[in-house]
Each structure stands twice: as C-alpha cells, then as structure tokens.
Amino acid sequence: MAGGDRGSSSEAAAELRRGFETLAVARPDPSAAFYEVRLNRPAQRNALSPAAFAEIPRAMSLLDRLPVARAVVLSAAGPHFCAGIELGGPGNPLTAASAKGADPAAAAEGLRRAILGMQEALTAIERCRKPVIAAVHGACVGGGVDVVAACDIRCCSRDATFVLKEVDMAIVADLGALQRLPRIVGYGNAADLALTGRKITAMEAKEMGLVSRVFDSKKDLDAGVAKIAKEIAEKSAWAVMGTKAVLLRSRDVTVEQGLEHVATWNAGMMRSNDLKEAIRAFLEKRKPVFSKL
C-alpha cells in the first residue's frame, strides 16, 4: 500500500473514532474485517433526520477508504429499524418548503435540491465499494425501505415488517425505492407495495425477494449477518469489490454491455496476487491467505 493510501486510511480511522450524532460505527469483532453501522436514535425509532442524511454518506465514505473494513453491516438500535424520514423539526426540508411567505419558485427549487441531497445520501450506501448487508428488525417504514433497497444483501428477523407509506402521506416516494425495488422484487410486487401502502411481513418479504434470509430473533439475526459479513471479509477484497461493481453496472445496462464490462474488468484484475494465491491454496488443499488492501 502506498504511503498516501496509508495516510488516507489512518485519517479515515481517526475520523470514525470521532463518532457520530445519529449513528454508532464500530468493529464488533476485532478478529474479523468488517464494521457495523447502526442507526442510533432508538427514542425516535431511528427516523432519518437531516443529521442522519449528512452522516450516512460520511460513514460510508470513511469505511470505503478503510482497508480493514471489507464488509459492512447496517443495523439499528432499539425495537425498530427505521420509522422513515423525520417529519417536522429544525432543518427539515419539507417544513422549510411550506414556510409562509416563501416564494413558490424558490421554495420548489430548494425542495428539489434537498431531495437530490437526500437521494445522494442513500445512494452512498450503494456506492460504497464494500458489500453492505442490511439487518432489519421491527418496523421498516418509508425511508427505511429506501435505505434497505440501497444495500447489497438484505436479511431480517421474523418480527420485521416493511411498508412504503408515502402514498398515504399524499407524496411520491422519492429516495430510491421506486427505482430500486422493481429490480429487486419485480415491477408487480413493487407496484403493489408502492400503490397500496400495505405492510408486509418478513416471510412475505422473503417470498418476493426483498430479503434473502429470515432469522427467528434479533439475536439470531445479529449472529447471522455477522457470520455473512465475516465470510465475505475472508475472501479476496479485489474479487468482492469487483463483483459488487460488476453487479451494479450490469443491473443498469444490457446483458451484452454487462459482459463487455466484466471482460474489461477481469482483463486487469485477473493478474492479481490473490488469484495466484487462490490457485496455490486449492492445489495445496489449504485456506487461502489473501492480500490486504
């Protein structure tokens, strides 16, 4: 690793230690190369405040730069995962847009910029090069579904419920659910959830593909996602990050374009030391030891 990269990673580690207002970020197992980002406003059911929208992309950017963070678990404190966007309160763009006396055009443009900023904050989850695993328990409402949809792997406990409430609030969901969910659960299921605003259970979420695994309890969920994150972290970081990048790219292009993209990617990455180590380990019947980032 070059000296500049070492400096960048040490700065990222120092910044993480300074902490967050709405998140708790920690390495739960010192022997495993993954971090947990926990929504940490349990008294507010982890509603997404302006501070949360500022801190989520900051945390993801720092973990993206941190070599020891090879996977990320996104969880939540308290009895519920997320109650959606916090309504009211200081700094809320919806409150500002409806302020009396505001010029309608200026208010509309201000709201548009605020929405784009919130979209960018959740897209930061998707753009993090490290796989992000959502661990959902309790209620996951509105903006919470937007958060989950931006993750790479989604798991939940049996008590989890999911609901897109925006249509009942007389607005159109605008933070990514309408764009990402059709690719995850199919257009029909996405339309069902978005147009009816109905609540679905963990098992229905699994049936439609919103989550890939359901655990019996919050304790089992925490242990299960930690196991997944640890397994991913033990693989070649270059292969894992490349797989995520190619999956995301292939999602938005034709099959032919996706195949061309992965061919170009592997033309450079198949010369990695990790590939040589994987082949040696296979032949020697041992566990591979991959390089650090």
Side-chain angles (χ1 to χ4, degrees), residues 11-41:
E11 290 166 6
E15 182 71 16
L16 283 174
R17 287 194 293 271
R18 279 194 275 274
F20 300 82
E21 176 187 336
T22 67
L23 307 173
V25 181
R27 187 178 179 183
D29 182 354
S31 68
F34 74 90
Y35 272 69
E36 180 180 19
V37 175
R38 188 166 65 249
L39 304 179
N40 198 32
R41 302 179 72 220

Side-chain angles (χ1 to χ4, degrees), residues 176-225:
L178 300 187
Q179 290 69 38
R180 294 186 175 100
L181 281 183
R183 292 173 165 89
I184 297 170
V185 302
Y187 178 86
N189 285 325
D192 183 353
L193 296 177
L195 293 173
T196 66
R198 70 183 183 89
K199 183 188 299 182
I200 62 170
T201 64
M203 294 314 297
E204 188 171 358
K206 186 175 188 302
E207 287 171 5
M208 66 173 59
L210 180 56
V211 299
S212 55
R213 309 189 199 190
V214 176
F215 295 88
D216 286 335
S217 66
K218 174 67 163 58
K219 182 178 179 181
D220 291 340
L221 171 67
D222 292 340
V225 294

Side-chain angles (χ1 to χ4, degrees), residues 90-172:
N92 186 282
L94 298 178
T95 305
S98 61
K100 290 183 179 180
D103 178 85
E109 176 58 18
L111 181 56
R112 176 180 176 275
R113 289 198 308 269
I115 292 170
L116 289 172
M118 291 188 289
Q119 290 174 347
E120 191 72 13
L122 300 193
T123 296
I125 299 170
E126 188 174 82
R127 287 182 179 158
C128 178
R129 292 178 301 159
K130 320 300 176 61
V132 181
I133 306 158
V136 181
H137 71 286
C140 182
V141 180
V145 178
D146 293 300
V147 169
V148 168
C151 295
D152 303 295
I153 298 173
R154 290 163 293 276
C155 302
C156 71
S157 56
R158 195 170 292 277
D159 71 332
T161 58
F162 301 83
V163 59
L164 285 173
K165 290 291 290 180
E166 284 85 350
V167 71
D168 290 332
M169 301 296 293
I171 61 173
V172 177

